[in-house]
Amino acid sequence: MKVWIDGHLCTGVALCEKSCPEVFVMADDGIAHVVGPDSRPAPSGVAVEFPEELLEDVLEAAEGCPEECIFIEP
Ligand code: SF4
């Protein structure tokens, strides 16, 4: 499955990073990014594949995001 963040909506509260630091990271621009395949913050809106075993944590992050700007795709 893949996950992406709409950076235009993100307010940088960092709850996602607390729920799943393997997938979400706060970057220098003050908002959260999905960690890309190169282990660097992926650009806003770019969907990145994540390991199946992290699905529960990614779902927790998406449900806990106050801006509802984390999107999960098959
Ligand atoms: S929880 Fe949502 S609003 Fe907060 S940093 Fe993560 S993506 Fe942005």
Side-chain angles (χ1 to χ4, degrees), residues 15-39:
L15 292 174
C16 53
E17 191 182 44
K18 288 192 181 74
S19 295
C20 190
E22 298 92 338
V23 171
F24 302 101
V25 64
M26 300 304 296
D28 292 344
D29 56 8
I31 60 174
H33 292 257
V34 176
V35 178
D38 57 358
S39 299

Side-chain angles (χ1 to χ4, degrees), residues 4-7 9-19 24-26 30-33 61-62 64-70:
W4 59 280
I5 294 174
D6 184 340
L9 300 176
C10 174
T11 51
V13 192
L15 292 174
C16 53
E17 191 182 44
K18 288 192 181 74
S19 295
F24 302 101
V25 64
M26 300 304 296
I31 60 174
H33 292 257
C65 174
E67 309 304 337
E68 300 182 357
C69 60
I70 298 174

